């Protein structure tokens, strides 16, 4: 007959034992190109490199309106309406605008311009016209520009 196998030796406690096998990784690529001799011809450009950032396409051409004073500004263009007050601007794209309102201030010196956002919030900018004749120019040009982008109002 055959002899039974010898009893197993003492087992090491969990977490002890031989180290795991080490994996061989390739060396990292060089971080800088190899230096070239002083009077050698320059390296040809690499044609396989990724292209640079692609500029955004210009918005569709259309009329624009801008009213500016020392602290406030109103701009209306193909992208929407921008209101600025003391260097802080708020941009409203046309799909986010419920309605636009404007009128001449009670003293007749400024344009009061308001945007009602889709969520119901009202944003306003008051732009003082200097000279006062500029206010008449703004009031003549603004309805035409708004009518171009918001024909229904």
């Amino acid at each position: 007959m055959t002899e039974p196998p010898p009893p197993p030796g003492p087992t090491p406690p969990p977490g002890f034992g031989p180290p795991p096998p080490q994996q061989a990784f390739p060396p990292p690529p060089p971080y800088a190109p190899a230096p070239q001799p002083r009077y050698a011809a320059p390296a040809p450009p690499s044609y396989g490199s990724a292209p640079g950032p692609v500029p955004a396409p210009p918005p569709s051409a259309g009329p624009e309106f801008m009213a500016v004073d020392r602290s406030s500004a109103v701009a209306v263009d193909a992208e929407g309406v921008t209101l600025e007050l003391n260097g802080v601007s708020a941009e409203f794209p046309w799909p986010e605008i419920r309605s636009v309102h404007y009128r001449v201030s009670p003293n007749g010196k400024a344009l009061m311009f308001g945007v009602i956002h889709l969520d119901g919030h009202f944003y306003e900018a008051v732009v003082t016209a200097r000279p006062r004749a500029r206010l008449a120019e703004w009031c003549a040009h603004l309805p035409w520009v708004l009518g171009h982008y918001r024909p229904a109002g």
Side-chain angles (χ1 to χ4, degrees):
M1 285 215 266
T2 63
E3 294 182 9
T11 60
F16 292 95
Q22 297 293 323
Q23 295 180 355
F25 293 104
Y31 292 105
Q36 295 197 3
R38 273 190 159 190
Y39 300 105
S46 64
Y47 294 103
S49 64
V54 178
S60 61
E64 296 178 348
F65 172 82
M66 184 172 287
V68 180
D69 68 9
R70 289 183 174 201
S71 61
S72 302
V74 173
V76 179
D77 59 16
E79 295 178 16
V81 176
T82 302
L83 304 178
E84 185 172 331
L85 178 62
N86 295 324
V88 178
S89 63
E91 297 179 0
F92 303 96
W94 288 116
E96 295 179 9
I97 297 175
R98 180 179 293 169
S99 61
V100 175
H101 304 274
Y102 67 94
R103 69 182 185 127
V104 174
S105 65
N107 64 6
K109 295 181 181 179
L111 174 69
M112 301 170 69
F113 192 94
V115 173
I116 298 180
H117 195 265
L118 283 179
D119 63 9
H121 285 90
F122 180 74
Y123 300 90
E124 183 181 36
V126 178
V127 185
T128 304
R130 289 195 182 130
R132 204 179 270 197
R134 185 168 294 150
L135 184 60
E137 295 171 12
W138 289 346
C139 290
H141 186 61
L142 184 56
W144 180 73
V145 173
L146 289 174
H148 179 82
Y149 297 115
R150 311 253 325 168

